[in-house]
Amino acid sequence: MDAQSRGRAEEIDPADQWVLNPRTGHYELQLNDSAARERPKVAAPRRSSSAPAAPTAPSPGVPGPRRGDAPPGGRRGGGRSRKGGGGGGRRKKALLITSGTLALLLVGGAAAAYLYYDHLNGNLSVTDIAGAGTGGFKKDQAINILVIGTDKRSGAGNEGYGDKDSVGHADTTILFHIAKDRSNATALSIPRDLITTIPDCPTKQPDGTTKNVRGAKGVRFNTSLGQEGRDAGCTMRTVKELTGIEVDNFMMVDFNAVKTLSTAVGGVPVCLEKDVDDEDSKLKLTKGEHKLEGEQALAFVRTRHAFGNESDLDRIKTQQQFLGSMMREMKSKETLTSPKKFFSLAEAATKSLTVDQGLGSIDKLTDLATELKDIDLKNITFTTLPVLDNPAEKVKATVVVDQRLADPLLQMIRGDVSLTEVEKKEQAAKEAADADAKAKQEALLQGNRAPAGDVRVAVYNGGGPKGAASTTLGWLQNSKGMSKASNQGNAPSKVDATQLEYAPNQADQARALADALGLPATALKMGTTDAAAKTPMKLTLGPDFQKPGTPLAPPVPQELPKDVQQAQADKAVCAK
């Protein structure tokens, strides 16, 4: 199910009815005589006789309007439009930048207590992704959110975009990685014309059954959505196949998101190094600075012929500049202190969103926003998966992954390494702690080794190749004489890298096993208490494990190759 357009409420902004009382610190309902005659009255929450006379805005603990109702003073309009399409010709291909959705996350939960929970929940569209992804983000782990902009043509005012009758594509796709310590984030754009493999994809049908959509090899990435019945879960699976990164949740938006969110925030500042007059996108602007909203904002992120060499890769750069600017605007004092903008943004964002069940409520979205709200914009990096022109084509229309540059970039994201410089004091402290930890780890390899026949270890697969635990067991027993090893199958949870957990009195066994497998010191995790006799160590194979007898994958790079495109969210860049 794609994000759909909704009917418009009466031209009365709900935020106009709620005013911040500086004496109480609460938002209070203020209706003038005219407004009271035009709008239905709203029941105030019950209060004691000592409570202030004016009602306060609803909080999570106070029942709000029924799901699907409009905010106070408004009426929910017509039903959702089911028509529309996009895709098709190179010039007509419509595009949606996912800026507003991503930017909303960075505002955080500060206004959550004043949102109309039931009403906003009713705005959301939810898709059952049939088990794609991890099942949802976790507070103590890195987070990977896939933000998809579809070129599906739906909603009033979008009739001229895209190709008629198309079901839509994954036209703009950004994998948003949030660091485990929440100090930084990386937004990785994936080109729509990238040639890749789409895996088989179970998809939920309207009748509740599950249909398996067959995968495809050597096809454009954007066909991972919409085509042959593929849903956003198929795009999530394709991203994992392509990057080795498993996605936690997805968010999807259509054309209306750019128009409504850019308007709700009061316009998005952009800078141009030259005059622009693009017939296809209808973008006509003079050189210099502008503040775009609505149709102009959509034209800016859709244009392919205004900037650079008129390629989709240059359009991605333009989209990233727009997204960074919207983030700065949403983080600005003018937005954060304006209840009117908060209400408008909440309405616009939720009406634009289709999400998976793991993000299918305002509570869950607020939890996610809370995880992101303290990330400094200077520590958010936009980058694009490095690609090359497809060598199989005479007329260049598609691209393939540039493994030389893509491999280290993806290793850094998988390894949760920041692409931007975090606060220098924090960085210095981290480097000192890392150096101390490295010295302590190296010391673990110093000492006696137990005979192979005395090594007891339980082998688990926590993210290695399929069957890795069984293969490793056979290799240890038959090639290394470690007959007391055992296979425990899949680990209860996945690990970021291979690790060997052992007790202090098993240190000699751990060194012997590390020698046999070529484990680095960083893979050794020694406990604090001795183990009972015959207790095995625990070896969990991670994604860096290839096969027994082969060294683990090389250490994660700490610096991005110079040729990889990147930009920081806090810096304004002029389109050229």
Side-chain angles (χ1 to χ4, degrees):
M1 178 169 60
D2 198 357
Q4 306 292 332
S5 62
R6 280 86 172 172
R8 296 182 61 189
E10 293 181 3
E11 296 299 324
I12 302 172
D13 195 312
D16 291 333
Q17 303 168 354
W18 296 93
V19 179
L20 181 65
N21 185 333
R23 296 192 301 274
T24 66
H26 294 293
Y27 287 96
E28 299 177 353
L29 186 64
Q30 302 289 329
L31 294 178
N32 58 32
D33 292 340
S34 174
R37 287 193 300 272
E38 294 177 6
R39 289 170 270 186
K41 293 184 179 181
V42 182
R46 294 184 179 181
R47 59 184 185 272
S48 66
S49 58
S50 61
T56 58
S59 70
V62 179
R66 293 174 301 170
R67 176 166 299 197
D69 288 348
R75 288 200 307 264
R76 191 170 180 86
R80 301 176 181 177
S81 171
R82 298 283 178 184
K83 295 182 180 180
R90 182 173 67 88
R91 292 190 176 189
K92 291 185 177 180
K93 185 75 73 175
L95 174 70
L96 174 65
I97 180 66
T98 53
S99 53
T101 307
L102 221 57
L104 177 68
L105 297 179
L106 299 176
V107 173
Y114 307 110
L115 298 180
Y116 302 100
Y117 271 59
D118 287 345
H119 169 71
L120 296 180
N121 278 329
N123 285 345
L124 292 171
S125 295
V126 182
T127 294
D128 185 337
I129 54 176
T134 65
F137 76 91
K138 297 177 177 59
K139 293 181 177 294
D140 58 346
Q141 296 182 13
I143 300 173
N144 294 302
I145 304 294
L146 192 66
V147 185
I148 306 170
T150 173
D151 60 2
K152 183 176 176 65
R153 191 181 72 178
S154 63
N158 294 325
E159 294 82 359
Y161 304 139
D163 292 334
K164 186 178 180 181
D165 300 326
S166 171
V167 294
H169 304 74
D171 208 49
T172 296
T173 305
I174 299 176
L175 178 60
F176 198 58
H177 171 85
I178 302 97
K180 181 178 180 178
D181 65 3
R182 309 297 187 253
S183 67
N184 64 89
T186 299
L188 176 70
S189 294
I190 301 176
R192 66 178 189 177
D193 295 326
L194 174 67
I195 296 299
T196 189
T197 296
I198 299 175
D200 291 348
C201 177
T203 58
K204 284 287 186 178
Q205 303 302 300
D207 62 2
T209 61
T210 300
K211 175 184 176 181
N212 189 57
V213 180
R214 293 185 61 182
K217 294 183 178 180
V219 295
R220 277 180 166 88
F221 174 84
N222 67 347
T223 60
S224 65
L225 175 70
Q227 312 309 299
E228 300 184 26
R230 298 187 181 106
D231 62 8
C234 299
T235 308
M236 293 170 70
R237 289 180 168 93
T238 303
V239 168
K240 181 182 178 181
E241 183 90 8
L242 177 64
T243 65
I245 300 169
E246 191 163 33
V247 181
D248 296 305
N249 302 97
F250 89 88
M251 295 179 168
M252 184 164 64
V253 289
D254 64 10
F255 288 122
N256 288 316
V258 171
K259 296 195 291 186
T260 58
L261 283 160
S262 60
T263 301
V265 80
V268 177
V270 300
C271 173
L272 282 67
E273 289 195 358
K274 62 180 182 181
D275 294 344
V276 170
D277 189 356
D278 178 15
E279 283 188 17
D280 290 336
S281 68
K282 306 297 188 293
L283 180 67
K284 187 172 183 179
L285 296 170
T286 57
K287 174 182 177 180
E289 297 181 356
H290 300 269
K291 207 165 190 180
L292 307 183
E293 61 182 72
E295 293 290 347
Q296 269 197 323
L298 180 58
F300 183 82
V301 299
R302 288 183 61 240
T303 182
R304 287 189 63 170
H305 307 293
F307 309 114
N309 61 7
E310 302 187 10
S311 71
D312 188 54
L313 298 179
D314 280 298
R315 177 164 58 174
I316 287 175
K317 293 179 184 178
T318 303
Q319 296 162 1
Q320 292 174 351
Q321 292 165 9
F322 184 89
L323 176 52
S325 182
M326 179 171 276
M327 288 179 175
R328 293 191 296 275
E329 197 68 14
M330 289 183 132
K331 282 273 195 175
S332 69
K333 182 179 179 182
E334 288 75 14
T335 299
L336 292 175
T337 58
S338 170
K340 178 181 175 65
K341 286 188 177 181
F342 264 126
F343 278 92
S344 298
L345 283 168
E347 282 291 312
T350 53
K351 284 182 178 179
S352 300
L353 272 178
T354 297
V355 297
D356 61 274
Q357 292 171 310
L359 291 178
S361 71
I362 297 303
D363 283 337
K364 292 176 181 178
L365 287 171
T366 301
D367 286 343
L368 177 59
T370 301
E371 295 295 307
L372 310 182
K373 67 184 180 65
D374 293 329
I375 300 177
D376 196 305
L377 292 181
K378 70 180 179 181
N379 292 326
I380 298 175
T381 302
F382 293 104
T383 187
T384 304
L385 186 68
V387 295
L388 299 167
D389 286 335
N390 189 348
E393 296 176 335
K394 290 184 178 179
V395 178
K396 304 303 181 185
T398 61
V399 293
V400 295
V401 175
D402 182 350
Q403 299 294 163
R404 179 181 66 87
L405 298 178
D407 285 350
L409 171 60
L410 294 176
Q411 285 178 36
M412 291 180 72
I413 296 175
R414 288 194 297 264
D416 201 27
V417 176
S418 174
L419 304 190
T420 53
E421 183 180 353
V422 295
E423 291 288 344
K424 290 186 177 181
K425 288 184 179 179
E426 294 180 5
Q427 184 69 13
K430 183 177 183 299
E431 289 175 355
D434 287 346
D436 183 54
K438 184 177 179 180
K440 291 179 179 178
Q441 286 296 124
E442 293 294 340
L444 297 177
L445 290 175
Q446 307 302 316
N448 297 328
R449 268 69 173 163
D454 292 342
V455 174
R456 294 179 183 272
V457 60
V459 183
Y460 295 82
N461 190 347
K466 186 176 181 180
S470 177
T471 302
T472 301
L473 174 66
W475 184 82
L476 289 174
Q477 291 179 337
N478 300 325
S479 299
K480 294 299 178 179
M482 297 183 177
S483 58
K484 295 177 182 176
S486 62
N487 174 17
Q488 299 299 316
N490 291 330
S493 60
K494 294 186 177 180
V495 294
D496 295 330
T498 298
Q499 61 183 31
L500 174 62
E501 299 172 81
Y502 63 96
N505 61 337
Q506 295 172 323
D508 56 345
Q509 295 182 53
R511 296 185 193 107
L513 186 62
D515 289 347
L517 287 171
L519 300 179
T522 52
L524 274 58
K525 311 295 180 185
M526 187 173 71
T528 57
T529 59
D530 287 346
K534 298 184 179 181
T535 300
M537 300 180 293
K538 181 180 178 181
L539 174 65
T540 306
L541 307 175
D544 56 345
F545 183 84
Q546 301 173 55
K547 62 181 181 179
T550 300
L552 299 181
V556 176
Q558 299 299 304
E559 292 185 4
L560 202 62
K562 294 181 179 179
D563 294 339
V564 175
Q565 175 264 333
Q566 60 174 311
Q568 277 66 55
D570 67 320
K571 297 177 181 176
V573 180
C574 290
K576 57 183 179 180

